[in-house]
């Protein structure tokens, strides 16, 4: 056992350095595209970073669970919708995973296997990716607190907290815990435990993009970050958190642009109800930070932030 471990460590030490992308041409600004749920494509014309892809949600009719009969308690095998994934993520260089629940993780192995992208996420996300056949060299396991340099961008991994679901009893549930060690495909719903939650600060093309995948945060970890674009978890459970918008906007220094994320609850509510929730959330952000521009993103519509500004660039007009 010791020999095996040593061989593994020696192999890791001898491996080539991690991915550093050459700066072939100057960045053209950053383009953000909302992919539904907490999913985003963030690109600068040369590097494509995907966040929490969940294109498979569009396989279901809108408000499916709301209209379906009660959950019968079965532990279903979850199958990613490869056609949707390929259509909306034809290429990717990196996939960031905020946590390993199915609505953040289900599509990640398919993206990695079809595009060759490197997955960055927790040990739990890594366990699911490995079980689904993602090669080890395409996995970067992070613990929270890292600040990683990739050349074309840098990435700070921010320790965070999952949304306060179930009236603050979320952490009483097994889905809050670690991902099991011995996963064997096909993976069922019960495999997708949280495995810890991260936010990310992605510095790319002269911009700083704060990325959240849920509706909670650790205030001291956000304090002093100065993103010019912030993807802020906007689902209803944010109301379980004291002064969510106010504490967050103050900690982040009133970011010029906020995009509500994880607000669409695609299979759980009607489009009108989801939009209403997003509008209420936008009003909360505006009340907390009046100069912030709040943009509720439409599915699959790229939005460009120019390269002119650095750091706290002004939000784009129009
Ligand atoms: Zn979750």
């Amino acid at each position: 056992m010791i020999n095996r471990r040593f061989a593994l460590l020696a192999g890791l030490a001898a491996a080539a350095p991690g991915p550093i992308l050459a700066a072939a041409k100057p960045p053209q600004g950053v383009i953000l595209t909302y992919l539904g749920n907490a999913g985003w494509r963030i690109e600068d014309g040369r590097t494509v970073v995907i966040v929490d892809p969940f294109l498979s949600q569009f396989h279901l009719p809108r408000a499916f669970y709301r209209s379906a009969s009660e959950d019968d308690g079965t532990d279903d095998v979850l199958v990613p919708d490869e056609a949707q994934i390929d259509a909306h993520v034809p290429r990717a260089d990196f996939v960031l995973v905020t946590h390993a629940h199915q609505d953040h993780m289900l599509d990640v192995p398919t993206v990695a296997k079809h595009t060759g992208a490197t997955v960055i996420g927790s040990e739990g996300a890594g366990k699911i990716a490995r079980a689904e056949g993602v090669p080890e060299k395409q996995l970067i396991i992070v613990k929270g607190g890292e600040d990683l340099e990739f050349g074309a961008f840098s990435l700070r991994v921010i320790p965070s907290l999952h949304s306060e679901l179930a009236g603050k009893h979320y952490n009483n549930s097994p889905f809050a815990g670690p991902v099991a060690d011995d996963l064997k495909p096909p993976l069922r719903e019960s495999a997708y435990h949280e495995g810890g939650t991260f936010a990310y600060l992605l510095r790319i093309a002269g911009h700083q993009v704060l990325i959240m995948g849920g509706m909670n945060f650790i205030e001291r970890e956000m304090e002093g970050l100065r993103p010019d674009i912030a993807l802020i978890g906007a689902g209803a459970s944010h109301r379980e958190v004291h002064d969510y918008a106010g504490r967050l906007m103050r900690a982040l220094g009133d970011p010029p642009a906020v995009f509500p994320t994880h607000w669409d609850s695609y299979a759980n509510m009607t489009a009108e109800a989801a939009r209403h929730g997003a509008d209420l959330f936008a009003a909360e952000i505006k009340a907390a930070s009046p100069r912030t521009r709040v943009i509720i993103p439409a599915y699959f519509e790229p939005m460009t932030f120019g390269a002119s500004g650095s750091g706290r660039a002004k939000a784009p007009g129009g």
Side-chain angles (χ1 to χ4, degrees):
M1 191 54 162
I2 287 169
N3 282 344
R4 224 182 114 211
R5 279 192 187 157
F6 176 78
L8 176 65
L9 288 171
L12 288 174
I20 297 282
L21 303 175
K25 53 180 179 174
Q28 306 295 306
V30 67
I31 305 164
L32 287 88
T33 308
Y34 183 49
L35 304 179
N37 201 60
W40 291 84
R41 182 170 65 233
I42 304 172
E43 57 200 318
D44 67 351
R46 57 187 185 193
T47 304
V48 178
V49 178
I50 302 293
V51 178
D52 284 2
F54 190 40
L55 288 314
S56 295
Q57 73 170 349
F58 299 109
H59 188 79
L60 293 170
R62 181 107 220 181
F64 172 81
Y65 291 116
R66 185 170 165 268
S67 55
S69 54
E70 279 186 13
D71 186 353
D72 60 5
T74 55
D75 187 12
D76 296 326
V77 169
L78 299 181
V79 181
D81 185 337
E82 298 196 8
Q84 286 277 5
I85 296 167
D86 291 347
H88 292 291
V89 188
R91 67 162 282 231
D93 299 297
F94 292 85
V95 186
L96 311 182
V97 184
T98 65
H99 65 288
H101 282 158
Q102 52 161 300
D103 55 333
H104 303 256
M105 186 69 210
L106 176 63
D107 291 357
V108 171
T110 302
V111 171
K113 288 186 285 185
H114 289 196
T115 66
T118 296
V119 176
I120 301 177
S122 68
E123 179 58 39
K127 288 176 188 174
I128 291 171
R130 288 183 190 109
E132 293 288 2
V134 177
E136 194 64 33
K137 66 178 190 318
Q138 278 174 251
L139 295 177
I140 294 177
I141 304 301
V142 289
K143 291 176 171 295
E146 295 91 341
D147 207 332
L148 305 174
E149 180 58 53
F150 292 91
F153 66 92
S154 63
L155 185 73
R156 181 154 164 170
V157 185
I158 303 166
S160 194
L161 296 169
H162 190 269
S163 313
E164 291 286 350
L165 304 179
K168 305 180 189 64
H169 294 274
Y170 163 75
N171 284 310
N172 307 29
S173 80
F175 281 98
V179 175
D181 285 325
D182 53 352
L183 296 176
K184 297 271 187 298
L187 299 186
R188 294 176 182 276
E189 225 170 330
S190 58
Y192 292 84
H193 289 194
E194 177 199 328
T197 293
F198 301 127
Y200 294 97
L201 185 72
L202 174 66
R203 306 181 195 90
I204 186 167
H207 294 275
Q208 296 193 45
V209 185
L210 179 83
I211 298 164
M212 289 171 67
M215 279 58 79
N216 206 350
F217 60 93
I218 300 171
E219 188 170 346
R220 66 173 179 271
E221 298 289 348
M222 296 292 191
E223 190 71 56
L225 302 182
R226 289 295 177 265
D228 61 309
I229 302 168
L231 315 182
I232 305 289
S237 63
H238 78 272
R239 294 195 203 96
E240 303 281 356
V241 176
H242 171 65
D243 191 18
Y244 179 84
R247 288 169 54 233
L248 200 42
M249 291 300 102
R250 285 192 295 277
L252 299 175
D254 298 328
V258 162
F259 290 93
T261 188
H262 210 333
W263 56 274
D264 68 335
S265 290
Y266 182 85
N268 293 311
M269 62 173 72
T270 63
E272 295 72 31
R275 176 71 199 204
H276 180 62
D279 286 338
L280 291 177
F281 183 76
E284 287 178 40
I285 295 288
K286 289 297 284 182
S289 179
R291 294 205 316 211
T292 293
R293 181 151 181 258
V294 187
I295 304 151
I296 300 171
Y299 295 133
F300 312 127
E301 280 185 17
M303 298 166 288
T304 303
F305 286 68
S308 53
S310 64
R312 303 223 114 194
K314 272 192 70 172

